[in-house]
Amino acid sequence: MIRIEDMKKYYGKNRGVENLSLEIKQGEIFGFIGPNGAGKSTTIRALLGFIKLTSGKAFLFDKEATDKNLAKTKERIGYLPSEVDYYENLKVGELLKYSASFYKRDCQSRIDELAKYFDLNLKRNIKELSYGNKKKVAIIQAFMHSPELLILDEPTGGLDPLMQNKFFELVVEEKKRGATVFFSSHILSEVQRLCDRVGIIKNGELIKLTTIDELVKTQYKKVTVRLEDGQKWEIADTRLSNLNINDSYVSFVYKGEMEFLLKILGKYEISDFNVSEPDLEEIFMDYYKEEK
Amino acid sequence: MNIFLFEMKSSVKSLAVWIVSIVGFYIFAMSMFPSFAGNTEGLETMLASFPQEMLKALNLDIIDFSKPMDYMTYIFQYIIIALGALSILTGSGIIAKEEDEKTIEFLYAKPVSRTKIFIAKALAGLFQIMIIAVVFYLSTVIIMAIVADGVSQIEILRISTGLLFFMILFFAVGLLIGQFITKGSKRLPIVLGILFLMFLISVMSDMNEKFEILKFFTPFQYFNGLALIKNGLKLSYSLISAMVIILSTSLAWIIYKRKDL
């Protein structure tokens, strides 16, 4: 559905993305994680032809993402941008009608349905809308033509928790319908909740490509121990991250062989002990900790 | 077609304001023609006291104020500055404004190529310019029918066509400039600065024969009202203008197709 081959984009001397290769299969929800400035939006904007690649290639629906090809393939794509800027002099309904005029299918009934679902008044002026409401307009725009591919860039920004929940349900519905979703976010809990696979991007490069299950279950353990009185935790090792010491309680995320973990724990007298699956946030921090 | 119609709809108000302002000024200025025509001797005495260079710069040395079309070309000098400003502003802003306000992302997400966006927007701008040229032509026909008898329709057509050509020229130059300067706060002073610089060069080339060569570098000389009504647009000027229009538009299109949002 999406194929990126050695994507490289430089803004002058500044790196946007480099050595980025990626393939997203039909029907999956792919999470693209990274903090602000990691290169997520650059990747999306290059895919959609907003910016031109320095080198490398991108394919959508097996067609190279050139201006000519994109003009056709965008009929099958719904794009939800992270920042929403609209023609301020229009009413919501007018903007959506204009938006719908670019597609071959009739989108009006879906617009009405989605506006009702998100409790959005189509008669309001765009310039009067809050950021959250503008985001709802953007969601309707992205979903109204029932696209085969949804490219969502930081989609929940500005939405309250209730609307976020509704949005997630909508994405799941779209997946059931058969849509493929490229979900870019720095909010890990939503990626963990929705996505099948995940790519982690750091400083413009893809550093990890795996399934959510693998990422959470196979490699990392969250360890919490309570030390007997008078003992002080003194172990620092690259296998331990997110180390948090609070009086006698010590917690950390462990990545490595169990033998080593048992060995270091054996050095202490422990009154309580717990091992659990860390959430994505904690794993993510490990990928992003500063190299010293 | 939807982009073209959207552009037209978005521009209706500002276009109406421009038309009302220009036509209002035109009617007001032409309403004074009978007074000028009835007192040419007094006017000539007054003008004789002005420096010769100044008279040349404003074509006052060759305009016969007793003739309605001559008088009209005097007014035309001011109208053409205003419409030059409108054209270069429209050309430079028609794409750049959307890039500056980031609304262009809306269009880029749609199944439409950049070439189509460019063509639709350029045609919408061109159409607005044509409307203004037609309004100018019709206003002139009506005003001349009221203020004088026997005015040559050919002369009116020549000056109106010249105006249209002039506006297209500045619109095309604006299109090109808009590819480089998208930020509105920077774009407006630059395009208006270019327009007034062209006008200044034209005035200088009229005032002093040493600057005769400069006449080729300013469209205000190509589209001199008096010359237009008498002979139409000179072939050499037409060719230079057409070349500038084609080059500016093509370059603007090539740059637009390749640029990053």
Side-chain angles (χ1 to χ4, degrees):
Chain A
M1 188 61 83
I2 295 179
R3 198 167 82 245
I4 298 170
E5 293 175 358
D6 284 325
M7 182 188 278
K8 180 176 170 183
K9 175 64 188 176
Y10 268 73
Y11 300 99
K13 286 181 180 173
N14 299 321
R15 179 166 66 175
V17 292
E18 193 160 18
N19 300 326
L20 185 73
S21 294
L22 193 62
E23 190 158 1
I24 295 164
K25 296 167 206 149
Q26 190 174 354
E28 73 172 329
I29 303 183
F30 181 85
F32 198 44
I33 324 172
N36 296 329
K40 302 189 300 294
S41 291
T42 298
T43 307
I44 288 175
R45 291 158 85 82
L47 270 176
L48 293 169
F50 293 7
I51 53 174
K52 304 293 172 189
L53 289 178
T54 308
S55 67
K57 284 179 178 175
F59 297 85
L60 293 160
F61 300 96
D62 288 326
K63 283 182 185 156
E64 195 176 350
T66 59
D67 192 42
K68 197 180 167 191
N69 287 339
L70 282 169
K72 282 182 189 160
T73 49
K74 280 177 188 169
E75 182 82 35
R76 305 159 75 183
I77 299 172
Y79 168 59
L80 175 54
S82 56
E83 303 282 329
V84 281
D85 296 285
Y86 289 134
Y87 307 98
E88 299 267 300
N89 55 334
L90 296 183
K91 290 186 189 303
V92 175
E94 290 172 338
L95 180 93
L96 292 171
K97 199 173 170 186
Y98 180 42
S99 185
S101 71
F102 287 90
Y103 301 103
K104 285 176 188 139
R105 67 193 302 165
D106 182 14
C107 306
Q108 196 54 51
S109 60
R110 185 67 172 148
I111 289 173
D112 294 337
E113 192 184 318
L114 288 168
K116 198 176 168 191
Y117 181 72
F118 283 111
D119 192 22
L120 181 69
N121 184 350
L122 297 179
K123 287 177 184 157
R124 286 188 70 186
N125 292 317
I126 295 277
K127 64 181 165 200
E128 290 168 2
L129 297 183
S130 65
Y131 181 62
N133 277 327
K134 278 188 186 170
K135 200 80 186 196
K136 289 181 191 174
V137 177
I139 294 170
I140 297 175
Q141 262 216 92
F143 287 75
M144 67 183 182
H145 53 297
S146 303
E148 292 163 60
L149 173 64
L150 281 156
I151 297 180
L152 314 174
D153 190 6
E154 308 279 358
T156 54
L159 294 180
D160 61 45
L162 182 72
M163 286 301 153
Q164 282 187 18
N165 220 26
K166 287 191 141 199
F167 173 73
F168 294 144
E169 283 168 14
L170 181 66
V171 173
V172 171
E173 281 303 309
E174 289 297 305
K175 190 196 170 185
K176 280 182 193 161
R177 186 179 57 79
T180 307
V181 185
F182 185 88
F183 193 103
S184 160
S185 176
H186 66 270
I187 304 168
L188 301 157
S189 56
E190 58 188 36
V191 172
Q192 189 168 11
R193 175 176 171 175
L194 285 176
C195 300
D196 305 308
R197 280 199 310 144
V198 62
I200 300 177
I201 185 168
K202 179 183 179 182
N203 296 333
E205 292 191 52
L206 193 71
I207 53 169
K208 184 84 180 169
L209 192 62
T210 183
T211 62
I212 292 280
D213 288 347
E214 249 179 71
L215 196 64
V216 175
K217 285 176 188 166
T218 57
Q219 289 180 309
Y220 293 85
K221 297 290 171 201
K222 185 177 181 181
V223 181
T224 308
V225 292
R226 186 183 175 190
L227 305 178
E228 288 286 1
D229 290 345
Q231 295 185 93
K232 199 176 166 192
W233 186 269
E234 283 170 338
I235 294 168
D237 190 276
T238 51
R239 283 165 275 201
L240 275 64
S241 61
N242 292 14
L243 183 64
N244 192 4
I245 303 170
N246 191 0
D247 295 329
S248 58
Y249 283 94
V250 180
S251 69
F252 53 86
V253 173
Y254 179 77
K255 180 185 157 193
E257 310 82 36
M258 285 301 118
E259 197 180 342
F260 180 76
L261 176 64
L262 293 172
K263 195 174 158 189
I264 58 171
L265 291 176
K267 291 180 181 174
Y268 296 93
E269 285 181 32
I270 292 168
S271 60
D272 198 5
F273 173 64
N274 182 277
V275 179
S276 60
E277 303 297 340
D279 62 28
L280 204 50
E281 188 102 27
E282 287 163 317
I283 298 169
F284 191 68
M285 290 310 290
D286 183 48
Y287 280 104
Y288 271 87
K289 68 186 173 191
E290 292 294 321
E291 287 171 20
K292 290 178 184 170
Chain B
M1 194 64 180
N2 51 353
I3 300 175
F4 175 85
L5 291 175
F6 184 79
E7 277 300 325
M8 290 308 298
K9 206 177 158 191
S10 309
S11 310
V12 162
K13 273 186 194 165
S14 69
L15 191 63
V17 170
W18 273 95
I19 287 174
V20 169
S21 309
I22 297 288
V23 172
F25 166 76
Y26 193 20
I27 292 170
F28 170 74
M30 288 306 293
S31 70
M32 289 192 279
F33 169 69
S35 315
F36 275 83
N39 189 18
T40 46
E41 277 179 27
L43 189 69
E44 275 165 19
T45 314
M46 187 188 76
L47 291 176
S49 64
F50 287 1
Q52 195 59 30
E53 288 80 6
M54 187 187 157
L55 297 180
K56 275 186 175 178
L58 296 172
N59 280 324
L60 290 170
D61 57 333
I62 46 172
I63 288 174
D64 181 350
F65 281 93
S66 65
K67 293 180 181 170
M69 281 306 281
D70 270 36
Y71 175 79
M72 187 273 257
T73 62
Y74 175 69
I75 308 301
F76 182 76
Q77 294 178 99
Y78 301 103
I79 290 178
I80 205 168
I81 295 173
L83 293 181
L86 169 67
S87 308
I88 200 164
L89 284 172
T90 307
S92 66
I94 203 148
I95 291 171
K97 188 171 175 282
E98 288 218 42
E99 289 175 338
D100 188 25
E101 293 171 1
K102 304 244 169 19
T103 50
I104 197 84
E105 203 165 294
F106 170 91
L107 286 178
Y108 285 178
K110 304 284 177 264
V112 58
S113 68
R114 287 198 192 192
T115 300
K116 275 192 180 164
I117 295 174
F118 184 87
I119 291 171
K121 282 179 166 281
L123 284 179
L126 199 64
F127 193 62
Q128 289 169 43
I129 282 170
M130 285 170 77
I131 290 173
I132 289 180
V134 169
V135 167
F136 175 81
Y137 170 75
L138 293 175
S139 308
T140 309
V141 169
I142 295 165
I143 290 168
M144 287 302 165
I146 295 167
V147 301
D149 294 324
V151 171
S152 161
Q153 293 300 310
I154 293 289
E155 289 183 357
I156 297 174
L157 200 60
R158 276 183 189 153
I159 199 164
S160 302
T161 315
L163 175 69
L164 176 64
F165 208 173
F166 172 87
M167 288 171 77
I168 294 172
L169 177 63
F170 272 96
F171 176 77
V173 171
L175 261 181
L176 181 60
I177 296 169
Q179 298 309 316
F180 298 102
I181 312 155
T182 49
K183 215 160 181 56
S185 55
K186 284 183 186 167
R187 195 176 68 243
L188 301 189
I190 287 175
V191 293
L192 291 179
I194 290 171
L195 179 87
F196 289 114
L197 183 70
M198 292 289 122
F199 181 68
L200 203 68
I201 292 172
S202 171
V203 170
M204 276 171 63
S205 64
D206 274 333
M207 283 169 72
N208 196 322
E209 283 172 9
K210 281 183 196 168
F211 300 129
E212 188 79 14
I213 186 76
L214 290 179
K215 287 188 173 179
F216 276 96
F217 295 98
T218 168
F220 284 98
Q221 281 294 326
Y222 304 4
F223 300 93
N224 176 293
L226 208 57
L228 280 175
I229 60 165
K230 290 198 171 133
N231 309 309
L233 190 60
K234 264 172 120 180
L235 182 67
S236 56
Y237 288 161
S238 305
L239 290 175
I240 295 172
S241 300
M243 251 168 58
V244 173
I245 290 169
I246 293 167
L247 269 176
S248 298
T249 311
S250 310
L251 261 177
W253 173 62
I254 291 166
I255 295 165
Y256 179 64
K257 269 187 75 173
R258 283 162 175 71
K259 77 196 290 198
D260 284 351
L261 175 63

